[in-house]
Amino acid sequence: MATPVDPRTGLPVVAMVGGGQLARMTHQAAIALGQSLRVLSTGPDESAALVAADVRLGDHRDLDALLAVADGATVVTFDHEHVPTEHLRALEAAGHRVAPGSDALVHAQDKLVLRRALAAAGEPQPVWAEVASVDEVAAFGDRHGWPVVVKTPRGGYDGRGVFVVDGPDDVAPLFTRYDVLLAEQRVPMVRELSALVARSPFGQVAVWPVVETVQRDGINTEVLAPAPGLDEGTATAAQELAVRVADRVGVVGVLAVELFQTADGVLVNELAMRPHNSGHWTIEGSRTSQFEQHLRAVLDYPLGTTAMAAPVVVMANVLGGRAAEEGWTGPGLDERVHHLMAHWPDVKLHWYGKGQRPGRKLGHVTALGADLDEVRARATAAARYLADGEVDPAFAFPTEH
């Protein structure tokens, strides 16, 4: 059977499930490569639906919608991991190529599946246990120390589904909502890192430099590339760990391995099998962005070089701030974009086209340079201005007297 292609271009059609900002930025990469990106979006106002030409409206939990978007596509891929595993297997059984496949993606969908796989492979991870009662959590805490990190096996992201409990009384309400939870020892970590790797169907891999991810309230706010002060041995070990995990679970596409750095090395926290927030810096900061690389990988094209475009790259997320609050009377979005470009002409803006509300990821900015402190100051000041409408005094224009 011939591989389906777009009859207008003679090039593949990639169907991406999910219409968020990851699909939007994948669409931008697809344009340069000549690929046709088809998007399954829950509504016409989602980030990717606002810009893509081929948008199918439907729910990722609806098998008929998934089958419809896959029809005629070269490959089906994802901008999130929330498609039911049984639906992925149904797509594969119907003859559609899914990347990553169901057997791989379940490791990003279910934290207990991931923990078991890492344990079987002898890979470093926090001490953990599957728990089904308050007594089991209490026994875990008594053995390994309080507080205990408790996670829902499925459905959590950006800090959702993660609870830090100080004792049995704190965990009791969770068992009114969940039958089984994952208990983990709270890791005495130095910081959080991310190792990003892409893998093709036949095992070609490409890795980017390991980055530091700066978290606030469980949400990634900044990414520093490469991770400052990370010794070469630990960086190489983290990259090799990411490659081993990708090979073991059979990932096709981009894999983000979220890591805890401790005094003794790195531990695997979670996986994401798609382009990831920790890789947004690669659009300007790497010769091949994670979005282009994901397309190349799922289409089994040779992978691109991941060399950095500058010694230091900093990405700062724009989270909804004062300017997203009801009753905001400061400069509107278009005016803030104008001012951002005037104050920081070398900072690159990516706005996602979402409705604004406090705390929501609305976009990101990226700055490049040679000095970490200087580059980081530019990126974070630009992001804060978009969020709050206030220019950092260090970047204010001089006034005439």
Side-chain angles (χ1 to χ4, degrees):
M1 178 178 169
T3 300
V5 295
D6 189 324
R8 300 165 300 174
T9 65
L11 289 168
V13 178
V14 176
M16 182 164 261
V17 177
Q21 64 261 26
L22 300 180
R24 182 184 179 108
M25 288 181 276
T26 303
H27 173 63
Q28 294 166 339
I31 291 171
L33 298 180
Q35 313 296 330
S36 299
L37 189 76
R38 178 185 299 164
V39 173
L40 179 65
S41 176
T42 57
D45 57 349
E46 284 199 293
S47 294
L50 293 172
V51 297
D54 188 357
V55 178
R56 312 293 174 89
L57 298 182
D59 195 302
H60 58 270
R61 296 163 296 188
D62 180 351
L63 179 57
D64 289 338
L66 293 167
L67 289 167
V69 80
D71 185 36
T74 312
V75 63
V76 179
T77 190
F78 311 93
D79 98 331
H80 60 72
E81 291 99 348
H82 304 312
V83 180
T85 307
E86 62 270 21
H87 288 359
L88 298 176
R89 292 186 174 132
L91 285 173
E92 292 166 333
H96 298 293
R97 193 159 75 81
V98 177
S102 59
D103 289 342
L105 193 60
V106 71
H107 294 82
Q109 295 176 318
D110 192 313
K111 296 178 180 66
L112 284 170
V113 172
L114 169 64
R115 290 287 175 236
R116 295 183 193 117
L118 292 173
E123 298 292 5
Q125 60 179 324
V127 176
W128 65 278
E130 181 178 347
V131 290
S133 70
V134 174
D135 288 345
E136 290 182 355
V137 178
F140 182 89
D142 291 342
R143 283 195 307 273
H144 303 294
W146 296 93
V148 170
V149 179
V150 177
K151 298 180 178 180
T152 59
R154 285 180 174 257
Y157 65 98
D158 279 352
R160 298 174 178 87
V162 179
F163 312 92
V164 179
V165 296
D166 292 315
D169 291 344
D170 292 338
V171 79
L174 295 177
F175 284 107
T176 65
R177 290 182 282 160
Y178 306 103
D179 295 327
V180 175
L181 293 166
L182 170 65
E184 293 182 3
Q185 185 179 39
R186 192 175 190 186
V187 174
M189 64 177 178
V190 176
R191 56 180 168 175
E192 294 190 50
L193 304 173
S194 178
L196 203 67
V197 59
R199 182 179 180 276
S200 74
F202 292 101
Q204 184 190 6
V205 294
V207 295
W208 286 268
V210 177
V211 301
E212 178 178 349
T213 60
V214 180
Q215 314 289 323
R216 187 178 70 214
D217 299 326
I219 299 176
N220 181 23
T221 57
E222 297 172 69
V223 174
L224 315 178
L230 186 65
D231 66 89
E232 185 177 349
T234 303
T236 300
Q239 291 174 316
E240 291 174 345
L241 170 60
V243 170
R244 289 197 305 272
V245 171
D247 284 339
R248 180 174 181 83
V249 304
V251 170
V252 172
V254 165
L255 169 70
V257 181
E258 299 177 50
L259 301 164
F260 296 136
Q261 183 184 6
T262 71
D264 300 319
V266 295
L267 304 174
V268 177
N269 177 22
E270 295 180 0
L271 305 183
M273 294 185 191
R274 50 173 169 77
H276 188 254
N277 198 188
S278 67
H280 290 354
W281 68 272
T282 62
I283 298 175
E284 288 84 25
S286 173
R287 291 292 296 164
T288 307
S289 78
Q290 65 166 343
F291 301 100
E292 177 184 335
Q293 200 82 294
H294 187 72
L295 289 169
R296 291 166 75 142
V298 301
L299 291 168
D300 200 19
Y301 287 179
L303 302 181
T305 176
T306 57
M308 291 187 66
V312 173
V313 184
V314 175
M315 186 282 302
N317 279 320
V318 180
L319 304 177
R322 287 195 293 274
E325 293 175 354
E326 188 174 351
W328 168 255
T329 58
L333 175 59
D334 185 51
E335 185 176 351
R336 297 201 307 279
V337 170
H338 274 71
H339 285 301
L340 179 142
M341 292 179 176
H343 285 275
W344 301 277
D346 56 336
V347 170
K348 301 299 290 186
L349 168 64
H350 295 265
W351 193 254
Y352 303 152
K354 294 178 172 181
Q356 297 188 56
R357 65 170 184 260
R360 191 181 198 188
K361 284 182 185 174
L362 301 176
H364 75 265
V365 297
T366 307
L368 287 73
D371 180 83
L372 174 62
D373 291 340
E374 186 271 332
V375 174
R376 189 176 186 182
R378 284 189 283 121
T380 56
R384 282 199 305 270
Y385 174 69
L386 276 179
D388 298 327
E390 295 181 5
V391 175
D392 187 314
F395 296 95
F397 292 137
T399 56
E400 296 183 4
H401 297 285

